[in-house]
Every structure is written in C-alpha cells, then in structure tokens.
Amino acid sequence: KVVLEGFSMGGAMSWYLTGSRPGVFRAVVGHSGGGVGGIPALSPVAYLGSLGTGENGGQNTQTDQFAKANGCTIDTLPRAETGKHVCTPYKGCKDGFPVTWCSYDGGHGFQDTDSGSNTTWVPQEVWKFLSPLLQ
C-alpha cells in the first residue's frame, strides 16, 4: 500500500512515476502539479489532485487523465468560490480507484486555508481520501 504525494514538480513527478510503474502505487496525491509532459500511459490508481484558481490549468490538466484511466465520468467539476475550497469526487470510477478534484481559492501552494481559518484544510481532505484505501 504505497502512496505518493507531491507538490509542484513533485506532484508532476508522482504522475510520471505512477505511469512508469503501473500497479506499484495504491494512491497518488498531487498538489499544484505541472511542468512535466509526456506522462507514460496510466493504469488505474486512486488519485486526489488539488490546484488553486489563481494558477494555470484546472481539472483537465490535473485529474482528468487519472479519471479516464479509472473509467470515471469526465464532467466539469465545481470551481472553488472566493475564500473557499471544494473537493469533488468523480462519478462512475472503477471500484477501489476513486478520483477526487480539489479546487481552492488561492495560488501555487499546498497548505492553503479557507477565509476566516488559520488552519489548512489540506491534511483533512487528503486523509479523508486516503484512509478508506489503506484499510
């Protein structure tokens, strides 16, 4: 039950490793990933991606590739409102291979907070996603 998690180029590297080593990783979490092209073909793997609304890209550059590999329905998912975050699971994914997209009002980061909070929402959302997979 090996899990990868990365931020920025580390997030993109987690994509690349997952595609290069099919069946090795149980889940992958990528925060504000980018900068790596030519990701090898993906096999199903649970994935949670996050990206700020102030960054370039969106679910189509972060999570749709995993959703497609996992047989999920590709829909336009909600975008975070000002000062908030929203995490939305894709529908129709293969059993055991969920994909979730987290949009947040912010820039390039992985410890973002919602307006009025001084605590980041990221660890709770990541744990909520990963904990059922690691049982």
Side-chain angles (χ1 to χ4, degrees), residues 16-68:
Y16 190 83
L17 286 171
T18 301
S20 298
R21 305 288 301 198
V24 171
F25 304 104
R26 178 63 187 103
V28 180
V29 178
H31 306 283
S32 296
V36 172
I39 297 170
L42 290 169
S43 295
V45 64
Y47 184 77
L48 180 141
S50 68
L51 189 74
T53 57
E55 297 187 76
N56 291 329
Q59 78 177 68
N60 61 322
T61 62
Q62 302 290 307
T63 55
D64 281 359
Q65 60 193 337
F66 289 91
K68 183 177 179 182

Side-chain angles (χ1 to χ4, degrees), residues 48-116:
L48 180 141
S50 68
L51 189 74
T53 57
E55 297 187 76
N56 291 329
Q59 78 177 68
N60 61 322
T61 62
Q62 302 290 307
T63 55
D64 281 359
Q65 60 193 337
F66 289 91
K68 183 177 179 182
N70 294 5
C72 310
T73 302
I74 310 289
D75 288 324
T76 300
L77 301 176
R79 182 178 165 100
E81 297 176 16
T82 301
K84 297 182 180 181
H85 80 281
V86 59
C87 293
T88 309
Y90 285 71
K91 295 177 183 171
C93 302
K94 293 177 186 172
D95 284 343
F97 297 101
V99 177
T100 295
W101 167 243
C102 294
S103 171
Y104 61 89
D105 181 29
H108 194 66
F110 68 97
Q111 292 295 322
D112 292 280
T113 59
D114 290 336
S115 181

